[in-house]
Amino acid sequence: MTTTPLRITVWGENVHEQVEPHVAERYPDGMHGAIADGIRENLPDAVVRTATMQEPEHGLTDAVLAETDVLTWWGHAAHADVDDAVVDRVHKHVLSGMGLVVLHSGHWSKIFGKLMGTTCTLRWRSEHDQELVWTVNPQHPITRGVPNPIVIPEQEMYGEYFDVPTPDELIFISGFTGGEVFRSGMTYRRGFGKIFYFSPGDQDFPVYHHPDVRRVVANGAEWARPERERELPTLRRYDLGEYFDGQHYRGPFDDAPEDEDATPTETGAATGAAEPAETAEARA
Amino acid sequence: MTTTPLRITVWGENVHEQVEPHVAERYPDGMHGAIADGIRENLPDAVVRTATMQEPEHGLTDAVLAETDVLTWWGHAAHADVDDAVVDRVHKHVLSGMGLVVLHSGHWSKIFGKLMGTTCTLRWRSEHDQELVWTVNPQHPITRGVPNPIVIPEQEMYGEYFDVPTPDELIFISGFTGGEVFRSGMTYRRGFGKIFYFSPGDQDFPVYHHPDVRRVVANGAEWARPERERELPTLRRYDLGEYFDGQHYRGPFDDAPEDEDATPTETGAATGAAEPAETAEARA
Amino acid sequence: MTTTPLRITVWGENVHEQVEPHVAERYPDGMHGAIADGIRENLPDAVVRTATMQEPEHGLTDAVLAETDVLTWWGHAAHADVDDAVVDRVHKHVLSGMGLVVLHSGHWSKIFGKLMGTTCTLRWRSEHDQELVWTVNPQHPITRGVPNPIVIPEQEMYGEYFDVPTPDELIFISGFTGGEVFRSGMTYRRGFGKIFYFSPGDQDFPVYHHPDVRRVVANGAEWARPERERELPTLRRYDLGEYFDGQHYRGPFDDAPEDEDATPTETGAATGAAEPAETAEARA
Amino acid sequence: MTTTPLRITVWGENVHEQVEPHVAERYPDGMHGAIADGIRENLPDAVVRTATMQEPEHGLTDAVLAETDVLTWWGHAAHADVDDAVVDRVHKHVLSGMGLVVLHSGHWSKIFGKLMGTTCTLRWRSEHDQELVWTVNPQHPITRGVPNPIVIPEQEMYGEYFDVPTPDELIFISGFTGGEVFRSGMTYRRGFGKIFYFSPGDQDFPVYHHPDVRRVVANGAEWARPERERELPTLRRYDLGEYFDGQHYRGPFDDAPEDEDATPTETGAATGAAEPAETAEARA
């Protein structure tokens, strides 16, 4: 479930635009500005705002995230400069239900790597390849209203092997002038959140002005909308024959005989993902 | 590719056995000892050794991992005490091709959480439920030689929602006395490594003495055997029309005009997973 | 794309209701009547009609199907009596984009078997088992508004191994009193159509009066709504560098030198699924 | 389980070789001959025989299939001439566990269509495109020993949208000179059988003489090897608390009160796939 209208935050690293004049010229409102405009154009009822790395806490405070249904992420030059605390916060919100749309070079962002668990590496070349984006899942709402293929006259090449987990849904595959192919549109479900990765889009080409690319990004944001109240999955104990009133986990010897219960060892989560939860019980 | 015979390292946390007499009695050689015996029994040609948390570097030095085709992981009481450096090392070896079999409460280990990217939480109860392990993928080699269902007279209950990514292959689903169900056998591919999660097995029940459970653990280890030389996936640039001689990524402005190349910004990987690789090129 | 509002046809075999008084008493408007009511209750804007096997062409003429966005299917006693021509027609509409929701014993219907390609067999028992329906994909729109688990006090048992293809999405897993488990909610994409199989629901139990079951059936119908104009996928030839103006396939020697073109061998489709298409070109 | 050594039957339509001299010259032993040689070369311990459409029952009698662990299928010009009874027989053997490797234009064969349930249509062009076959599942045994990419200098183009079900595993994606892409290596599990579809290979190009293509076909045959005794999945009833001694289904009113049991209505399977089974109980 989510409030209506859909609330989208477009996050931009905003570095290339500041240091490379040719990028600033191509994207006068920043890349995040172009991405946000493309979404507004296709989802006129959505509330779209932007946030950039240069803002305090990168513009992604807990308050902002709590009011964000779907976050889009574009970064490239400064992945390593993103604060780990912000990454952990975004991670927790995604697992709790916030949608996430990761764009292009965001494949190597900390947040995408943390959600995927893999290196997220690939092969690449920035040499004016033509990119054709082919639909392989034509029944999917993310493909609504775009031709098969989408033709992008010039684009950076991203090629396989792309080291990511097998996607829940493979939606687009791209072919490049050089003969390389790339799984360019994929969905993942992690925790209670939905994730869409879409590769077309680069600082050196005007890809975020392409109408079909803008449509796909908007479709992806709409698809990633949460289905329920935000809540982190938690570990809970349920009595035999009882299915709804789970109790918080108290530690590794929680299942020990009751007389040992006097001093529960509250270790919290080993993974870092599952923090000692104050959240309400996870119900589907 | 892998050397013959299959080299398996069985890792045990080895805490319950030390502090709870009833566990020590049930597993006189440690839980890792019982797990290792079960594998040897089913894979007589394999070379099986054990390692425990109490050893230096938890017994998982780079040298040990380099000579391990498949690692099995059982932990529970001390997930939080596992050294992050060791976790990072195991993670890197898995992404480079080492097989990993995660057992039971290992669902909440740091290494599994890091590979999955989710909370890995679930519902549970330790009250002598019967567990039936049903095969839903009867063509899979991991199901070789086990009945449908496997009947485990007493076992801890693990139930859904289990917060993990959609598996590559769902192999077993368990049903419990209380009516709960659990995806109890699942495979994942991450980087060049294969992962098998199998939930039956607990310190409070003699599950690792159950012949069918032992068979499945051995089948899983055999299945997870690497297909190629160990190597971490890396990000590389390929010229147009050239497919095999990739060049290392030099940093975020690597695709800038050539005259800026004089001072490459070698930032390394944002994700922490993709370290500046000295490894050879990733070839399939 | 689809017209608004959503147009749903609920198909009922309507045999048990006619020959077994206890079923007629439980479902006075027929099982199809109860299923249709449940959908109307949850999707008040939808246009819901029913069709039964006893009508001419089983009530599923080409005109009816052309105006149906989503078809639901319940059958059991008379699977073998369903006309193959009607089955072929429904099959063609599904591949062309019509949604299909297959219910309970519909697992053994001709149309489901034709779409799955497998035996669709399972294990069963009708002995008042309790069924718990667990959500394993809590981000999916089909799970909207239902508790985890759904509790069905009495129900026929369906158990694994259920011989169907690996689903695109596994949404529900059921557990029964006897300890059996069943993949009870699954989605499939075939051609341009979306299919949802949901097993709860039986002539001998009042399952279609259960509010959560009604909600899931309605959610499934809403999810299966087509995304595009109805059109059968076709085989077409495209010139080098041309992506949108494909030509119909003329036969097995279509790729022969041009002078052999004089007498094209129009054999049509071997599979029976792909009839010589008069339809417009398939575009995503 | 399967007997050792692996027994493979290579089926060839054997029409192009008979009517087109340029094909006969390219494949002097027939295309089936070249395919069989490629398998022998890579699996020297396998027993490989061929069968062609012109033989009685197309060379695929029940006796031949019963002694075949894995069947490979190449057809193109004469899909429509393949006897439906033979197709049903092959279908039944696949569902009972026989492996199947479908090659190139076999995508439009009756047997593949019957197993997939879709039109299996695609886009194509036979104009000397270069095909690059990229590995996207480098951990899979089918990728053993082949470079990434496989370079095929000239080949027919097959492009998306390929109307097949979502594969269990996507292993290869091809890119063509024209920029088209194709899911060229995919696995499916149907019944107890494993299926591998691999698209490279054509009558007009010497693709079956290409060492990497030969290696993949052999790898696929090895992977598709059955894991158990051949047996068709069947529908059976199991008593409460009893998991191994199922009873055959007696018809649609099998679950009626016992006094109606006198005249069981043995209707057999609605789908045509699940014939009244004489086979032993399906056990995993």
Side-chain angles (χ1 to χ4, degrees), chain D residues 53 81 91 98 151 168-169 209 225 239 268:
Chain D
M53 196 177 69
D81 299 333
H91 185 241
M98 183 179 73
V151 179
D168 283 41
E169 297 165 310
H209 297 307
R225 188 182 189 126
D239 284 328

PDB file of all heavy atoms in Angstrom, chain D residues 53 81 91 98 151 168-169 209 225 239 268:
ATOM      1  N   MET D  53      14.093 -38.912 -40.178  1.00  0.00           N
ATOM      2  CA  MET D  53      12.656 -38.889 -40.430  1.00  0.00           C
ATOM      3  C   MET D  53      12.217 -39.969 -41.408  1.00  0.00           C
ATOM      4  O   MET D  53      11.097 -40.465 -41.335  1.00  0.00           O
ATOM      5  CB  MET D  53      12.238 -37.522 -40.967  1.00  0.00           C
ATOM      6  CG  MET D  53      10.745 -37.296 -40.897  1.00  0.00           C
ATOM      7  SD  MET D  53      10.297 -35.643 -41.461  1.00  0.00           S
ATOM      8  CE  MET D  53      10.682 -35.795 -43.201  1.00  0.00           C
ATOM      9  N   ASP D  81       5.451 -32.585 -41.304  1.00  0.00           N
ATOM     10  CA  ASP D  81       5.333 -33.979 -41.736  1.00  0.00           C
ATOM     11  C   ASP D  81       5.668 -34.979 -40.625  1.00  0.00           C
ATOM     12  O   ASP D  81       5.589 -36.189 -40.834  1.00  0.00           O
ATOM     13  CB  ASP D  81       6.277 -34.231 -42.924  1.00  0.00           C
ATOM     14  CG  ASP D  81       5.926 -33.345 -44.108  1.00  0.00           C
ATOM     15  OD1 ASP D  81       4.735 -32.957 -44.217  1.00  0.00           O
ATOM     16  OD2 ASP D  81       6.834 -33.025 -44.897  1.00  0.00           O
ATOM     17  N   HIS D  91       7.249 -36.879 -26.405  1.00  0.00           N
ATOM     18  CA  HIS D  91       6.767 -36.029 -25.322  1.00  0.00           C
ATOM     19  C   HIS D  91       6.665 -36.825 -24.016  1.00  0.00           C
ATOM     20  O   HIS D  91       7.143 -36.392 -22.956  1.00  0.00           O
ATOM     21  CB  HIS D  91       5.392 -35.476 -25.718  1.00  0.00           C
ATOM     22  CG  HIS D  91       4.812 -34.480 -24.763  1.00  0.00           C
ATOM     23  ND1 HIS D  91       3.621 -34.679 -24.110  1.00  0.00           N
ATOM     24  CD2 HIS D  91       5.259 -33.275 -24.345  1.00  0.00           C
ATOM     25  CE1 HIS D  91       3.357 -33.630 -23.346  1.00  0.00           C
ATOM     26  NE2 HIS D  91       4.329 -32.765 -23.463  1.00  0.00           N
ATOM     27  N   MET D  98      13.601 -38.552 -20.059  1.00  0.00           N
ATOM     28  CA  MET D  98      14.594 -38.500 -21.136  1.00  0.00           C
ATOM     29  C   MET D  98      15.020 -37.055 -21.393  1.00  0.00           C
ATOM     30  O   MET D  98      14.183 -36.162 -21.484  1.00  0.00           O
ATOM     31  CB  MET D  98      14.004 -39.096 -22.423  1.00  0.00           C
ATOM     32  CG  MET D  98      15.004 -39.140 -23.584  1.00  0.00           C
ATOM     33  SD  MET D  98      14.292 -39.887 -25.089  1.00  0.00           S
ATOM     34  CE  MET D  98      13.177 -38.556 -25.605  1.00  0.00           C
ATOM     35  N   VAL D 151      32.661 -16.946 -31.327  1.00  0.00           N
ATOM     36  CA  VAL D 151      32.545 -16.131 -32.546  1.00  0.00           C
ATOM     37  C   VAL D 151      32.168 -17.032 -33.719  1.00  0.00           C
ATOM     38  O   VAL D 151      32.920 -17.940 -34.068  1.00  0.00           O
ATOM     39  CB  VAL D 151      33.871 -15.400 -32.843  1.00  0.00           C
ATOM     40  CG1 VAL D 151      33.746 -14.572 -34.121  1.00  0.00           C
ATOM     41  CG2 VAL D 151      34.286 -14.525 -31.660  1.00  0.00           C
ATOM     42  N   ASP D 168      14.179 -21.808 -17.335  1.00  0.00           N
ATOM     43  CA  ASP D 168      14.694 -22.085 -15.992  1.00  0.00           C
ATOM     44  C   ASP D 168      16.063 -21.434 -15.828  1.00  0.00           C
ATOM     45  O   ASP D 168      16.364 -20.868 -14.780  1.00  0.00           O
ATOM     46  CB  ASP D 168      14.802 -23.592 -15.764  1.00  0.00           C
ATOM     47  CG  ASP D 168      13.455 -24.216 -15.475  1.00  0.00           C
ATOM     48  OD1 ASP D 168      12.469 -23.835 -16.144  1.00  0.00           O
ATOM     49  OD2 ASP D 168      13.369 -25.061 -14.572  1.00  0.00           O
ATOM     50  N   GLU D 169      16.876 -21.530 -16.857  1.00  0.00           N
ATOM     51  CA  GLU D 169      18.209 -20.934 -16.829  1.00  0.00           C
ATOM     52  C   GLU D 169      18.504 -20.311 -18.187  1.00  0.00           C
ATOM     53  O   GLU D 169      18.354 -20.966 -19.213  1.00  0.00           O
ATOM     54  CB  GLU D 169      19.273 -21.994 -16.528  1.00  0.00           C
ATOM     55  CG  GLU D 169      19.118 -22.640 -15.163  1.00  0.00           C
ATOM     56  CD  GLU D 169      19.927 -23.921 -15.016  1.00  0.00           C
ATOM     57  OE1 GLU D 169      19.828 -24.807 -15.902  1.00  0.00           O
ATOM     58  OE2 GLU D 169      20.643 -24.046 -14.021  1.00  0.00           O
ATOM     59  N   HIS D 209      30.272 -27.575 -37.796  1.00  0.00           N
ATOM     60  CA  HIS D 209      31.695 -27.914 -37.838  1.00  0.00           C
ATOM     61  C   HIS D 209      32.503 -27.008 -36.905  1.00  0.00           C
ATOM     62  O   HIS D 209      33.707 -27.189 -36.751  1.00  0.00           O
ATOM     63  CB  HIS D 209      32.243 -27.786 -39.270  1.00  0.00           C
ATOM     64  CG  HIS D 209      31.602 -28.735 -40.243  1.00  0.00           C
ATOM     65  ND1 HIS D 209      31.531 -30.093 -40.019  1.00  0.00           N
ATOM     66  CD2 HIS D 209      30.977 -28.515 -41.434  1.00  0.00           C
ATOM     67  CE1 HIS D 209      30.906 -30.685 -41.033  1.00  0.00           C
ATOM     68  NE2 HIS D 209      30.551 -29.751 -41.896  1.00  0.00           N
ATOM     69  N   ARG D 225      21.283 -35.435 -19.055  1.00  0.00           N
ATOM     70  CA  ARG D 225      21.241 -36.824 -18.599  1.00  0.00           C
ATOM     71  C   ARG D 225      20.233 -36.986 -17.462  1.00  0.00           C
ATOM     72  O   ARG D 225      20.193 -36.179 -16.537  1.00  0.00           O
ATOM     73  CB  ARG D 225      22.646 -37.151 -18.093  1.00  0.00           C
ATOM     74  CG  ARG D 225      22.908 -38.571 -17.742  1.00  0.00           C
ATOM     75  CD  ARG D 225      24.350 -38.694 -17.211  1.00  0.00           C
ATOM     76  NE  ARG D 225      24.713 -40.081 -17.049  1.00  0.00           N
ATOM     77  CZ  ARG D 225      25.802 -40.642 -17.596  1.00  0.00           C
ATOM     78  NH1 ARG D 225      26.634 -39.914 -18.296  1.00  0.00           N
ATOM     79  NH2 ARG D 225      26.058 -41.923 -17.414  1.00  0.00           N
ATOM     80  N   ASP D 239      -3.362 -41.278   1.833  1.00  0.00           N
ATOM     81  CA  ASP D 239      -4.100 -41.132   3.085  1.00  0.00           C
ATOM     82  C   ASP D 239      -3.412 -40.142   4.015  1.00  0.00           C
ATOM     83  O   ASP D 239      -2.207 -39.880   3.891  1.00  0.00           O
ATOM     84  CB  ASP D 239      -4.215 -42.501   3.785  1.00  0.00           C
ATOM     85  CG  ASP D 239      -5.253 -43.382   3.117  1.00  0.00           C
ATOM     86  OD1 ASP D 239      -6.250 -42.830   2.598  1.00  0.00           O
ATOM     87  OD2 ASP D 239      -5.060 -44.616   3.105  1.00  0.00           O
ATOM     88  N   GLY D 268      -9.258 -41.087 -17.436  1.00  0.00           N
ATOM     89  CA  GLY D 268      -7.905 -40.822 -17.920  1.00  0.00           C
ATOM     90  C   GLY D 268      -7.639 -39.343 -17.877  1.00  0.00           C
ATOM     91  O   GLY D 268      -8.416 -38.572 -17.339  1.00  0.00           O
TER      92      GLY D 268
END
